[in-house]
Amino acid sequence: MIRTVMSCEAGGCLALYVPDADAGADVLERAARRLGWRRRTTYTHTCPACAAGRGPVLERGTCPVCAGLTADLPDGATCHYCQTITPHPDN
């Protein structure tokens, strides 16, 4: 299966935005913008970590926003790069 994803074009950044479901480019763009991704040019983007000066993403992990490395903290899994907090499951 081929999926549409978005990658950060900042130097040395490994960030990716992979949507939950297959989506067209227009849906992907809108969803990524809501999460903090910025358009650099027509075909290039900057991840939330690089846009905020906390990037580049150097290690991949499970962050749903930038695919960066996360750490389990009391509030949830927190991304080292974009600071997104994913709450722990209720189980």
Side-chain angles (χ1 to χ4, degrees), residues 71-78 85-91:
D72 284 329
L73 299 176
D75 291 338
T78 304
I85 299 172
T86 306
H88 296 297
D90 289 333
N91 54 350

Side-chain angles (χ1 to χ4, degrees), residues 29 32-40 44-48 51:
E29 182 80 27
R33 281 182 185 240
R34 281 193 301 272
L35 294 173
W37 284 77
R38 301 291 173 246
R39 180 179 277 202
R40 292 176 75 180
T44 62
H45 297 85
T46 302
C47 72

